[in-house]
Amino acid sequence: MSTIRATFALIRFAPGWYALNAFLQILRSGFPLIPALVVREVFDRLSGSPGLTTGLWLLFALLIGAVLARVTALFASVAVDGRTSSMTNGLLVRNALDRIFRRPGAQTLPNTTGGTVNRITADSQAVADMLIANMVVIGSAVQAIVALAIMASIDLTMTVIVALPMFAAGALITFTSTQIKRYHAQSRTAAGEVSSLLRELFRAVQAIQLANAVDRVTDRVRDVSETRRARSLRSRMFSQVFLGSVWSSTSGLGAGLVLLLAASRIDRGTLTVGDVVLFVSYLGWITEFTALFSQSLAAYKQASVSLERLDEVVQGDAGMPAVVASAQILPGPGTPRPRQPESELDRLESLRVDGLAYRHPSSGRGVSGVDLEVRRGELVVVTGSVGSGKTTLLRALLGLLPTDEGTIRWNGRTVDDPATGFVPPRCAYTPQVPHLVTGTVEENIRAGSDASDEELRQAIHRAVLDRDLDVMPDGLQTRVGPRGTTLSGGQVQRVAAAQMMIRQPDLLVFDDISSALDVNTERELWRRIKADPEATCLAVSHRETALAMADRVIVLRDGVVVAQGSYDELRETVAELRHNTADDSVDGRTETDGHLDGEVVSR
């Protein structure tokens, strides 16, 4: 999508704000022309009849009024600038995220996490800045046209002579716009590399310390930072220092030409002192327009780079045009947000999968020809050795990976888009490593839900989290660190389980949710889930407790279902089940400080 089309597409979704912005920019640029006209008249009157007359006092009052009007317009335009800039940035950020979230959830992003965040935030802001720069140029252009018209009415020849150098400088800057774009692209790429590296390092602090690699990591940070500094400096030197020097030189040249040409014209009486003052004053505003125009051109080129980088983030067939075209105005503070439409699926009676297949493009591994059924009120456990395709099966079933083949039916009805159908209140899913956010335990469990306090209590009970909350320093208001680092591994899993249960979904999907729990806690978790006759659960687990309590066990081997049945029926005939023991805990360690015994600590 071209930058010019993107610009008009963004403006089209909030035309009133952009029209108001352009109007205020014209006002703030138009008022400065009035003082020069007033000063011209003052000089001409003082030259003809020295002394302060009533007319001169009125001119002074008009001068003060013009200044106050300009200040008022300036404050108003700055306020509207901030509104339109944040609105445009918000549009791009939200819609880029929307496109990303519509991708199959288990597919990796085309860029690193840090690089993606850098593109969505910094590049969206660059596009917003370009739009504001365009609004400023509109006002400055009107100002320059009016100024040139007034100057030409006084002396056309002198107007042409003093304006030519400035327009020549503008042409020079225009021809260098490609270089501006190239330097800015290199600068943004370097900035993204720094962000990506720092994010990865913050997530691997312990590994770096254990490997005694602090010095090597520091050297690497210094190298990428130096590259960023050099590229950023080159971009700024070219787009700011070069532009500034050209315009300052051009402005000085124009002022010199005015004084040189004015001398002979004043002698001949064709030009007054007031006219010279007006020419010098207006010359500054015309110079400012040409400078702003070139800066806007540079911002336009930089925005082109930013749009290309955003396009790489969203990818897909629609790409960036869909991000811009789907832009919607964000509701203001306190505005009720529309509720998300619920899934059209009926209450679950049975979920059936036939011939499901997905192969990872990078390795060729995955699942193929999987048939399974989960009926209402059942606990069905998928098991198998490491790499057998258990997690891939769940992700393909839920639409987190695009299936290659197969049919998914909910109550006999084909689900064409499981990614949008298998969401609360019909389905809730917790991955192998649950993701918590910085906040309180209650905020993580609710995750935006407006469930009642009683529903919250029931979810906590079913997730076997009640005893832990009793010993936490602030109970439900206990702060959870980034990614749940202040909680044990088992607590993180059970907070994630409570987060699912508070939504009361028809289908609970767990991917090894009890891997960090001791046998007693795990048994109690499954017991409380099965105590609800309406609870339907599809889980991945290799643990004896889960397998023994399952209504049906499905065994995967190399991505293919090799056995289905009860645990008692399969444990003697299926190799994957022969080595399980009744005390199949993770590693036998116990956790103290009031937590459930045997729970593995994952810090």
Side-chain angles (χ1 to χ4, degrees):
M1 188 177 199
S2 68
T3 308
I4 191 66
R5 286 179 57 200
T7 298
F8 283 110
L10 288 169
I11 291 175
R12 189 171 61 249
F13 284 95
W17 280 102
Y18 286 105
L20 177 61
N21 195 320
F23 174 72
L24 290 174
Q25 294 294 348
I26 292 173
L27 284 183
R28 68 178 283 189
S29 299
F31 283 125
L33 298 177
I34 298 175
L37 292 170
V38 174
V39 172
R40 173 198 179 196
E41 187 65 22
V42 169
F43 270 95
D44 288 345
R45 290 196 180 192
L46 289 175
S47 300
S49 56
L52 295 177
T53 63
T54 302
L56 287 175
W57 285 113
L58 290 175
L59 289 173
F60 288 144
L62 178 60
L63 181 63
I64 295 172
V67 171
L68 292 176
R70 190 205 174 196
V71 171
T72 302
L74 181 62
F75 275 110
S77 64
V78 169
V80 175
D81 278 350
R83 166 65 181 179
T84 49
S85 176
S86 61
M87 181 178 60
T88 303
N89 182 49
L91 292 175
L92 288 171
V93 169
R94 189 182 74 164
N95 286 284
L97 289 174
D98 178 73
R99 299 299 302 180
I100 291 174
F101 290 148
R102 290 180 186 276
R103 292 160 49 90
Q107 284 190 330
T108 58
L109 293 170
N111 307 99
T112 63
T113 303
T116 299
V117 171
N118 180 271
R119 291 175 184 230
I120 291 177
T121 54
D123 289 308
S124 294
Q125 187 59 55
V127 176
D129 291 343
M130 179 269 294
L131 281 169
I132 298 302
N134 287 343
M135 296 296 106
V136 174
V137 167
I138 289 174
S140 186
V142 173
Q143 181 189 54
I145 292 172
V146 174
L148 285 171
I150 294 174
M151 293 166 63
S153 67
I154 298 172
D155 192 314
L156 179 59
T157 303
M158 195 165 79
T159 301
V160 173
I161 292 174
V162 299
L164 280 177
M166 286 175 286
F167 289 114
L172 173 63
I173 299 299
T174 302
F175 286 127
T176 62
S177 59
T178 302
Q179 195 76 355
I180 293 173
K181 180 178 179 179
R182 184 165 68 88
Y183 285 160
H184 182 71
Q186 294 173 351
S187 175
R188 296 301 313 138
T189 299
E193 291 173 353
V194 172
S195 298
S196 299
L197 176 61
L198 291 177
R199 182 178 178 85
E200 296 304 318
L201 293 181
F202 289 147
R203 297 174 63 180
V205 173
Q206 289 184 341
I208 293 170
Q209 293 173 335
L210 292 173
N212 195 25
V214 175
D215 291 339
R216 294 195 298 275
V217 167
T218 303
D219 291 340
R220 176 59 179 161
V221 172
R222 184 177 61 248
D223 291 342
V224 296
S225 298
E226 177 61 23
T227 300
R228 177 187 180 182
R229 183 200 64 78
R231 292 182 178 180
S232 178
L233 179 61
R234 182 170 56 184
S235 177
R236 291 186 179 184
M237 287 286 289
F238 193 81
S239 61
Q240 295 180 11
V241 177
F242 172 70
L243 290 178
S245 62
V246 168
W247 294 124
S248 61
S249 301
T250 305
S251 179
L253 177 61
L257 287 173
V258 168
L259 295 177
L260 182 64
L261 296 171
S264 60
R265 284 169 167 75
I266 291 177
D267 289 340
R268 294 197 303 265
T270 59
L271 202 68
T272 67
V273 175
D275 293 334
V276 175
V277 173
L278 182 140
F279 261 76
V280 173
S281 175
Y282 281 6
L283 187 63
W285 295 119
I286 297 171
T287 303
E288 182 179 85
F289 161 68
T290 49
L292 288 173
F293 179 80
S294 296
Q295 291 171 5
S296 175
L297 179 62
Y300 178 86
K301 294 297 182 180
Q302 292 168 354
S304 298
V305 174
S306 295
L307 286 170
E308 291 171 2
R309 285 164 53 83
L310 285 169
D311 189 58
E312 293 174 5
V313 170
V314 298
Q315 287 193 335
D317 295 334
M320 197 60 206
V323 173
V324 175
S326 63
Q328 300 176 9
I329 298 177
L330 295 171
T335 303
R337 295 178 180 270
R339 296 182 63 87
Q340 294 294 327
E342 293 188 358
S343 168
E344 296 180 355
L345 300 177
D346 300 326
R347 184 174 178 80
L348 177 65
E349 297 296 335
S350 68
L351 172 68
R352 182 169 183 83
V353 177
D354 295 304
L356 189 67
Y358 173 79
R359 293 290 178 182
H360 294 281
S362 58
S363 64
R365 299 176 63 86
V367 294
S368 60
V370 173
D371 299 331
L372 65 86
E373 183 177 11
V374 182
R375 291 183 289 271
R376 182 176 174 182
E378 285 187 332
L379 168 60
V380 176
V381 176
V382 179
T383 191
S385 59
V386 175
S388 60
K390 304 184 295 296
T391 295
T392 299
L393 170 59
L394 291 190
R395 290 177 173 178
L397 170 64
L398 297 174
L400 300 176
L401 291 172
T403 57
D404 298 327
E405 299 175 8
T407 304
I408 303 171
R409 292 184 176 88
W410 182 286
N411 297 342
R413 177 183 175 184
T414 301
V415 180
D416 296 320
D417 186 9
T420 57
F422 289 170
V423 295
R426 291 294 168 252
C427 179
Y429 166 66
T430 294
Q432 284 180 328
V433 181
H435 297 280
L436 302 186
V437 298
T438 301
T440 66
V441 173
E442 181 177 357
E443 288 170 343
N444 274 275
I445 294 175
R446 287 187 179 277
S449 170
D450 55 0
S452 66
D453 292 341
E454 177 60 23
E455 290 171 330
L456 173 64
R457 188 197 65 77
Q458 292 177 359
I460 291 171
H461 174 75
R462 293 180 66 193
V464 199
L465 189 61
D466 36 11
R467 285 182 55 187
D468 293 78
L469 289 175
D470 291 340
V471 298
M472 288 182 183
D474 298 308
L476 278 170
Q477 303 310 311
T478 300
R479 300 291 296 179
V480 174
R483 303 175 67 88
T485 52
T486 61
L487 304 181
S488 71
Q491 288 170 339
V492 169
Q493 289 182 326
R494 283 176 287 130
V495 169
Q499 185 185 91
M500 298 172 63
M501 295 169 183
I502 198 173
R503 285 156 176 76
Q504 303 178 11
D506 290 344
L507 177 65
L508 296 166
V509 182
F510 296 111
D511 190 349
D512 213 7
I513 188 65
S514 58
S515 61
L517 302 182
D518 70 285
V519 174
N520 292 332
T521 305
E522 180 189 14
R523 183 179 293 111
E524 183 64 15
L525 174 67
W526 295 122
R527 188 191 68 77
R528 293 184 184 183
I529 290 176
K530 286 183 66 66
D532 181 0
E534 301 296 318
T536 306
C537 184
L538 175 62
V540 161
S541 181
H542 66 281
R543 304 283 294 268
E544 169 83 11
T545 303
L547 296 170
M549 298 186 71
D551 295 289
R552 188 161 57 260
V553 175
I554 298 173
V555 183
L556 280 181
R557 183 184 303 153
D558 296 327
V560 178
V561 175
V562 295
Q564 293 193 49
S566 70
Y567 180 57
D568 290 337
E569 294 171 347
L570 302 177
R571 63 184 302 177
E572 298 301 329
T573 58
V574 179
E576 286 81 353
L577 304 180
R578 290 175 186 166
H579 302 293
N580 285 359
T581 60
D583 61 344
D584 187 18
S585 58
V586 178
D587 61 6
R589 290 182 294 169
T590 60
E591 185 178 13
T592 58
D593 298 331
H595 301 308
L596 296 176
D597 293 338
E599 183 178 303
V600 176
V601 182
S602 175
R603 298 283 186 186

